[in-house]
Every structure is written in structure tokens, then in C-alpha cells.
Amino acid sequence: MSNIYDTAYELEKNLREASVFTELSAAYTAMREDQVAFQLFEEFRNVQIGLQQKQMTGQAITDDDVASAQAIAERASGNEVIQSLMAKEQQLSQLMEEVNAIITKPLQELYAPAKD
Amino acid sequence: MSNIYDTAYELEKNLREASVFTELSAAYTAMREDQVAFQLFEEFRNVQIGLQQKQMTGQAITDDDVASAQAIAERASGNEVIQSLMAKEQQLSQLMEEVNAIITKPLQELYAPAKD
Ligand SMILES: [Ca+2]
Ligand SMILES: [Ca+2]
């Protein structure tokens, strides 16, 4: 039986060579090279990080926080370069969720409510 | 090159057969069969779920929440059966973090701050 780490490295290689990853990589480079798109991307990311930090430190998310997150999300998703990047991110995120569901199945089963 | 899903299934098999997983599984069964330990485990889990739900819905975590989480955590970790389970959970969690770091490296690199 192969080692769990060897298999993990093989999975990393598979991911790096998967078309969804190479396409995401190209979409990211295109965004970095577009000044308007890059600025929107950074603004969006900063708002996201701010919200995550609030959640992680147990602070309440205000209506204003939600409103400003929605506002930048709308502006960012109105940009075509960002749109292409987000579409690829969505595809990759779906793939990673599927991969994660497969590899964590033994744990899901272990902690599933017993049927006795 | 092998398919990313095939590799994920191989990783699942590796995990299921890893000694850390079989030992965790045994520790979990032992806890389920011990009435005192099982009750502490369920109390602890309910408090954790309550906190997570607050975080996910953007509610503030109060000092009382923190205090009651600490109280049940102390009572649970004073139980030997729970102690053994938590030690195995910790080991498995470390393994999963390592595996996750390996397989998500391409993404970490992609989003790393550019050095230009
Ligand atoms: Ca442009
Ligand atoms: Ca007992």
C-alpha cells in the first residue's frame, strides 16, 4: 500500500496539471495585469479578510459590514476580468470540495450519529 | 497521469488503513461504550456546535459562552476515556493538516503576494 504522504503529493501533482487549475492560473495572471481589475480584487479581498477576522475573534457582523461587502462584491463582479477569475475559482472550489469529501469520508462515517 | 479523483480515493483508502485512524476509531468506540464519557462528549459537542452556529450567523460570543465552553472542556478532559480519544483526534487532525497543506500548495502559491 502506498504511503499517505506519497499519495498526497501525487494529488498535488494531479491538481497542478488539471485544466481547471491551469485555467485559473491564467485568469489570475490576466487579473494581475489589469490595473482596474486588480484594484477591485484587492478591495474585495480586504473586506473579506476584515469579516473573517471579526468572525474569528467572536465579534458581531453589523448590517453596515454586510452592506459594504455586498457593494464591493457587486462592483467586482461587474468587471469582466474578475468575472472570468471568479468563474474559474468557483470551478476549482467545487473540485476541492469533492476531493475533500472523498478523503474525509472515513471521518464522516466515524462521527456519524450511531443508529442504535 | 492518474486522475485526480482516483488519487483522492487512494488517499481515502490510505487514511482508512493508517494506524492513527484505526486507533482513533477504537478510542471512539471505547468512549461510546462508556456512559459517563459519552455524556461528557455529547455535552462538549453541543457547546461547540452552539458556538459555531453563533460565529456562522455573525453573533457575538459572550464571556458566559467562553466560560461555559471552558468549564465543559475541563470536565471532559479530566475523563481518561475522553483524554485518550482527544489525543488520537489531535494526531489525526495534525495528519489531515499536513495532507491538506500538501494538496493545496498549488493554490497557496497562486495566491501568494507577488514579489514584484
Ligand atoms: Ca483593462
Ligand atoms: Ca467507565
Side-chain angles (χ1 to χ4, degrees):
Chain A
M1 189 188 81
S2 61
N3 181 286
I4 194 162
Y5 293 103
D6 291 343
T7 311
Y9 281 112
E10 193 185 338
L11 196 54
E12 186 216 344
K13 192 165 171 288
N14 291 159
L15 177 61
R16 218 179 270 279
E17 292 168 358
S19 61
V20 56
F21 181 76
T22 56
E23 286 162 18
L24 170 61
S25 189
Y28 184 76
T29 302
M31 181 279 293
R32 287 294 314 255
E33 289 170 353
D34 183 312
Q35 215 174 348
V36 174
F38 185 41
Q39 198 170 326
L40 284 166
F41 177 84
E42 293 227 292
E43 264 187 78
F44 181 66
R45 185 162 61 177
N46 289 340
V47 170
Q48 298 283 98
I49 291 171
L51 287 181
Q52 278 167 20
Q53 280 173 344
K54 277 200 158 188
Q55 281 196 309
M56 275 161 41
T57 54
Q59 293 172 72
I61 306 292
T62 67
D63 289 347
D64 278 0
D65 290 333
V66 174
S68 72
Q70 279 171 345
I72 177 63
E74 269 170 40
R75 281 170 57 222
S77 62
N79 179 287
E80 273 182 34
V81 177
I82 301 272
Q83 252 172 44
S84 306
L85 175 61
M86 283 178 166
K88 289 299 158 195
E89 281 180 337
Q90 180 56 33
Q91 283 175 31
L92 189 77
S93 157
Q94 212 173 313
L95 174 64
M96 295 310 284
E97 270 176 40
E98 285 168 15
V99 164
N100 201 49
I102 292 168
I103 70 180
T104 60
K105 198 151 180 268
L107 289 167
Q108 306 292 342
E109 287 174 6
L110 183 62
Y111 288 105
K115 293 168 201 74
D116 56 14
Chain B
M1 189 189 81
S2 61
N3 181 287
I4 194 163
Y5 293 102
D6 291 342
T7 310
Y9 281 112
E10 193 184 339
L11 195 53
E12 186 218 344
K13 193 165 171 289
N14 291 160
L15 177 61
R16 219 179 269 279
E17 292 169 357
S19 60
V20 56
F21 182 76
T22 57
E23 286 163 18
L24 169 62
S25 190
Y28 184 76
T29 303
M31 180 279 292
R32 287 294 313 253
E33 288 171 352
D34 184 311
Q35 216 174 346
V36 174
F38 185 40
Q39 198 171 326
L40 285 166
F41 176 85
E42 293 228 291
E43 265 186 78
F44 182 65
R45 184 163 60 177
N46 289 339
V47 170
Q48 298 283 99
I49 291 170
L51 288 180
Q52 277 169 20
Q53 280 172 345
K54 277 200 158 187
Q55 282 196 309
M56 276 160 41
T57 54
Q59 294 173 72
I61 306 292
T62 66
D63 289 347
D64 278 359
D65 290 333
V66 174
S68 71
Q70 279 171 345
I72 177 65
E74 269 170 40
R75 280 169 59 220
S77 63
N79 178 287
E80 272 182 33
V81 177
I82 301 271
Q83 252 172 46
S84 307
L85 176 61
M86 282 177 166
K88 289 297 157 196
E89 280 178 337
Q90 180 56 34
Q91 282 176 32
L92 189 77
S93 157
Q94 212 172 313
L95 173 63
M96 295 309 285
E97 270 175 40
E98 285 168 15
V99 163
N100 201 50
I102 292 167
I103 70 179
T104 60
K105 197 150 181 268
L107 289 165
Q108 307 292 343
E109 287 174 7
L110 182 62
Y111 288 105
K115 295 169 199 74
D116 56 13

